[in-house]
Amino acid sequence: MLKWLWAAFADLREGIAFRRAWMALAGEDITDQHRRTALGPIWLLINYLAFVGTFIAIFGYARGAGFSAYVALGFFVWMYLSEVINQSISLFVREENFIKGTRLPLSVYVFRLTMQSLIRAGYALIGLLGLLFILGTPITVAWIWSLIGILLIIAITPAAITVLAVAGAFFPDLQFVVGNIIRLGLFLTPIFWYPAEGAIRGHFYFWNPFTYFLEIVRVPITDGVLPLHAFYVCGLIGAISWLLALWSLGRFRRQIIFVL
């Protein structure tokens, strides 16, 4: 076990040493995806505003600014989480040529995807802050807890990517299973609805791990309080994710090339 952990730490240390490479590659990936478009990466901002703005205009206008901010924050976090998960499952399969043709540590690809996701989220964040300003959401000291929640999600991201990428390399069918779960998760996660105690929505709220990642970012801004229980759950999920990531990276990193 210790041998695998040391191997994982060595891979991560090498990956961090290549930070200039994966940061540059992530930026180039975003540019390439929008190279032939007139607005470029601005489409990432437009996509977020189009979806949230349409939903608020159709379903949330009568419920007031509180519900609109609730939806805007919830969808921002959900969009980041769902994109990371969907992209992670097939990460090593997509990078097959690089993995077979170079001796780069696997964590380089993990950090590259993390950086890509953060860049995309950065454009959506501009839209989110603009919406909160238009809705008149007051800026309070509690926003600091929301920022800490975002930083916690970012800290867990490389671990989640590693676990899912290793699993996806060994079990290709997993991408379809996860894809369906994410599609259902859009409706089963409290992005557009409030929990109802005792009803089926209350159970979905309580047992859905995504709920707590939304809450650590959303509650400080919408309710002005610290969601301590949500932070505890997310911290626990993060610790388990990093343990699984270190184990899977150390245990299987030399086998990945043979299963691709």
Side-chain angles (χ1 to χ4, degrees):
M1 185 69 178
L2 283 177
K3 183 179 68 174
W4 296 334
L5 290 179
W6 283 119
F9 280 123
D11 194 289
L12 289 171
R13 188 171 59 248
E14 288 182 54
I16 292 172
F18 281 99
R19 57 186 175 279
R20 289 186 178 179
W22 50 259
M23 290 174 73
L25 287 171
E28 189 176 334
D29 290 338
I30 299 296
T31 303
D32 287 345
Q33 289 166 10
H34 303 87
R35 185 177 298 279
R36 296 177 61 82
T37 62
L39 298 179
I42 298 297
W43 278 112
L44 298 168
L45 168 62
I46 294 174
N47 290 341
Y48 170 79
L49 289 176
F51 190 92
V52 174
T54 302
F55 189 92
I56 291 174
I58 301 297
F59 299 103
Y61 182 75
R63 299 189 187 186
F67 180 74
S68 300
Y70 182 89
V71 171
L73 285 158
F75 187 71
F76 168 73
V77 179
W78 171 258
M79 192 172 71
Y80 175 80
L81 296 176
S82 60
E83 182 181 288
V84 166
I85 293 171
N86 275 325
Q87 293 291 319
S88 300
I89 288 290
S90 58
L91 173 62
F92 291 153
V93 177
R94 294 198 307 274
E95 301 287 3
E96 177 182 355
N97 291 335
F98 272 109
I99 292 173
K100 290 182 175 178
T102 68
R103 296 175 61 85
L104 291 172
L106 291 179
S107 56
V108 164
Y109 310 107
V110 172
F111 291 136
R112 178 182 179 181
L113 178 56
T114 301
M115 198 67 203
Q116 280 184 36
S117 302
L118 290 177
I119 293 172
R120 291 194 184 92
Y123 283 97
L125 180 62
I126 295 171
L128 170 64
L129 294 175
L131 278 175
L132 293 177
F133 176 76
I134 293 170
L135 295 170
T137 306
I139 299 176
T140 66
V141 178
W143 281 45
I144 294 174
W145 294 114
S146 183
L147 176 61
I148 293 173
I150 291 174
L151 294 176
L152 178 58
I153 292 173
I154 293 173
I156 299 172
T157 298
I161 291 175
T162 302
V163 173
L164 293 170
V166 171
F170 283 91
F171 306 102
D173 288 355
L174 201 57
Q175 62 180 311
F176 300 103
V177 176
V178 172
N180 284 320
I181 291 174
I182 291 299
R183 276 191 286 275
L184 291 174
L186 179 66
F187 302 102
L188 301 180
T189 303
I191 304 168
F192 311 116
W193 48 267
Y194 290 115
E197 191 173 348
I200 189 168
R201 279 189 298 172
H203 295 293
F204 283 132
Y205 179 90
F206 183 79
W207 294 106
N208 187 342
F210 293 120
T211 295
Y212 302 98
F213 287 98
L214 266 62
E215 296 294 83
I216 60 174
V217 177
R218 183 165 59 189
V219 168
I221 294 177
T222 56
D223 299 351
V225 297
L226 167 64
L228 192 59
H229 178 68
F231 268 101
Y232 171 76
V233 173
C234 292
L236 183 63
I237 292 174
I240 294 172
S241 298
W242 267 111
L243 284 175
L244 283 174
L246 291 172
W247 173 76
S248 59
L249 185 61
R251 174 69 177 80
F252 298 110
R253 70 189 187 103
R254 294 189 183 279
Q255 298 178 23
I256 293 293
I257 193 170
F258 298 108
V259 298
L260 294 176

